Amino acid sequence: MLKLLGGLKDYLKFQDITTDNAIFRLHNTFTTALLMACSLVITATQYVGSPIQCIVSGLPTHPVNTFCWITSTFTMPDAFRRQVGVEVAHPGVSNDFGDEDAKKYYTYYQWVCFVLFFQAILCYTPKFIWDAWEGGLLRTIVMGLNIGLCHEEEKCKKKKALLDYLLRHVRRHNMYAIRYWFCEALCLVNIVVQLYFMNKFFDGEFLSYGWRVMTFSEQVQEDRVDPMVYIFPRVTKCTFHKYGASGTIQKHDSLCILPLNIVNEKTYIFIWFWFIILLTLLSFLVMYRAIIIACPSVRPMLLRARNKLVPREVAEAIARKTDVGDWWIIYMLSRNMDPIIYREMITELAKKIETAASNSQ
């Protein structure tokens, strides 16, 4: 198992230069690795057993297993509320009496591993777009100043080069910030869209899945239906037709055990909770970005919250004399530079910006 999932560790490696937010990384790296891991575990049948085992008399087992797996199996929804061992043999398994409309068919289990893989690609897409747009700009202008132990002469040269860049490109970083915030908003859109399509994938049962699992134990014994068994049944039925010796069509009714659904139900209950957490975090993040854009007065506070060594008047001068894109670059520098070097740099930058503004008047 460790060998199977070992390749995913590269998605979670430490970044010495961060160009994004922790919530952004949770969506793009952790969630991608999580979905890929789930897809691999479900695909690796040697770890979870055979995906389907059907019981049928008078027929070879393997062809029936294959047929029921590639077509579909079904349950009777009204049988989930009947007493197991008395009225029905297993939850959802009863006589259909030829009523096709009463059957609930399950075909999703063939596609789960592919859907999880596709979801992982969608979760990685915002990071892919942002990396292409960012182009290593932050790493280039940091120039190793994230490490405070360096020669004074080297440090002064790098600080001067950084200051020259910021002064030459003042009011030119709005598109940089807008692109990043667009990618953050894209993460929120991705989670909403994925929740919608997962709900469609499970015939409208997914959005309330986690909530029903939490409230299951509080319901009256006679009235409750295990939502995990209802959405991911462990025993289903399958109808197999064949020709008899005289050419008459014979109908064989078989019980099919789906051990893979034990893995599916645990996988998707975890995904449900994780996606709801992500949806909440990303919603707050998008609102937080809207406040940053709409309320310039919060920007000095955020600079000082990131680095307490920055004087209040310096933070206010930076926020007052720069656009939101320049402020964002300066804010991200505070996350990637040694705090003392950053304080020296931003203090000198504020003085030069003030001087340049007064000379232009």
Side-chain angles (χ1 to χ4, degrees):
M1 183 64 74
L2 290 176
K3 183 183 292 186
L4 179 69
L5 303 179
L8 298 177
K9 66 180 183 298
D10 293 337
Y11 289 100
L12 306 174
K13 62 183 178 181
F14 174 76
Q15 297 178 353
D16 56 336
I17 300 295
T18 58
T19 62
D20 48 27
N21 179 270
I23 299 174
F24 190 73
R25 290 193 297 276
L26 280 178
H27 174 276
N28 299 324
T29 55
F30 179 78
T31 307
T32 298
L34 170 67
L35 293 172
M36 289 288 288
C38 293
S39 179
L40 288 172
V41 168
I42 290 173
T43 305
T45 55
Q46 64 266 32
Y47 295 112
V48 297
S50 177
I52 189 170
Q53 287 287 339
C54 294
I55 305 170
V56 60
S57 59
L59 292 175
T61 303
H62 183 68
V64 176
N65 288 343
T66 305
F67 171 80
C68 293
W69 176 256
I70 64 177
T71 55
S72 62
T73 60
F74 65 89
T75 60
M76 306 296 292
D78 63 328
F80 282 99
R81 296 188 178 276
R82 300 179 191 173
Q83 188 175 0
V84 176
V86 178
E87 299 176 280
V88 294
H90 300 279
V93 177
S94 68
N95 198 322
D96 55 44
F97 298 106
D99 186 2
E100 287 293 326
D101 295 333
K103 297 178 181 178
K104 179 179 175 64
Y105 284 91
Y106 300 87
T107 57
Y108 63 82
Y109 46 73
Q110 308 163 23
W111 303 97
V112 166
C113 61
F114 302 106
V115 170
L116 288 171
F117 180 76
F118 182 64
Q119 288 181 256
I121 293 175
L122 290 178
C123 286
Y124 190 77
T125 299
K127 174 177 171 53
F128 178 81
I129 295 173
W130 171 238
D131 287 345
W133 277 343
E134 205 272 339
L137 173 64
L138 208 58
R139 180 179 294 275
T140 301
I141 63 177
V142 168
M143 295 178 293
L145 291 176
N146 55 325
I147 302 173
L149 295 176
C150 59
H151 294 293
E152 188 67 26
E153 182 180 353
E154 179 187 0
K155 181 176 71 173
C156 291
K157 287 181 179 179
K158 290 181 177 180
K159 279 200 308 180
K160 183 179 184 303
L162 176 57
L163 286 168
D164 289 342
Y165 169 83
L166 293 174
L167 289 169
R168 282 200 313 270
H169 295 84
V170 70
R171 302 185 186 280
R172 296 182 184 177
H173 293 108
N174 284 347
M175 189 55 65
Y176 180 93
I178 290 171
R179 284 175 172 175
Y180 172 68
W181 294 332
F182 169 79
C183 290
E184 285 187 337
L186 189 61
C187 293
L188 176 60
V189 172
N190 174 60
I191 292 298
V192 172
V193 170
Q194 286 203 32
L195 284 171
Y196 172 78
F197 279 106
M198 277 193 288
N199 193 54
K200 297 286 285 185
F201 184 59
F202 292 112
D203 295 326
E205 303 286 349
F206 183 73
L207 287 182
S208 59
Y209 179 48
W211 179 254
R212 282 187 289 160
V213 169
M214 287 191 295
T215 58
F216 169 65
S217 60
E218 301 175 2
Q219 298 174 0
V220 180
Q221 178 72 32
E222 292 76 16
D223 298 331
R224 66 185 185 178
V225 177
D226 187 348
M228 290 192 289
V229 174
Y230 183 75
I231 301 176
F232 302 100
R234 293 139 194 190
V235 181
T236 57
K237 296 182 68 177
C238 177
T239 303
F240 183 82
H241 294 90
K242 69 180 287 290
Y243 286 103
S246 63
T248 305
I249 296 178
Q250 297 178 344
K251 178 182 177 180
H252 294 268
D253 208 20
S254 61
L255 282 179
C256 294
I257 302 171
L258 300 172
L260 189 60
N261 271 352
I262 296 294
V263 180
N264 286 335
E265 67 182 25
K266 307 302 187 297
T267 298
Y268 275 98
I269 191 62
F270 184 81
I271 289 175
W272 187 90
F273 280 105
W274 179 244
F275 270 51
I276 294 301
I277 292 171
L278 269 184
L279 179 65
T280 304
L281 292 175
L282 287 167
S283 298
F284 280 115
L285 180 62
V286 170
M287 288 189 287
Y288 173 59
R289 298 304 185 211
I291 292 173
I292 290 175
I293 296 170
C295 303
S297 59
V298 305
R299 298 173 196 167
M301 293 186 288
L302 293 175
L303 279 179
R304 282 187 46 77
R306 175 58 58 183
N307 191 331
K308 296 293 186 182
L309 299 177
V310 177
R312 186 183 304 275
E313 60 274 9
V314 170
E316 291 175 351
I318 291 292
R320 187 174 60 253
K321 296 296 182 179
T322 59
D323 287 341
V324 65
D326 301 313
W327 175 86
W328 178 251
I329 284 284
I330 295 168
Y331 177 77
M332 292 303 294
L333 285 172
S334 68
R335 304 180 60 180
N336 292 282
M337 290 177 62
D338 178 78
I340 297 176
I341 297 177
Y342 178 77
R343 181 195 61 188
E344 297 171 355
M345 184 276 298
I346 196 174
T347 302
E348 191 171 347
L349 177 64
K351 291 178 182 178
K352 291 189 175 184
I353 289 178
E354 290 278 12
T355 303
S358 61
N359 290 338
S360 63
Q361 292 176 355

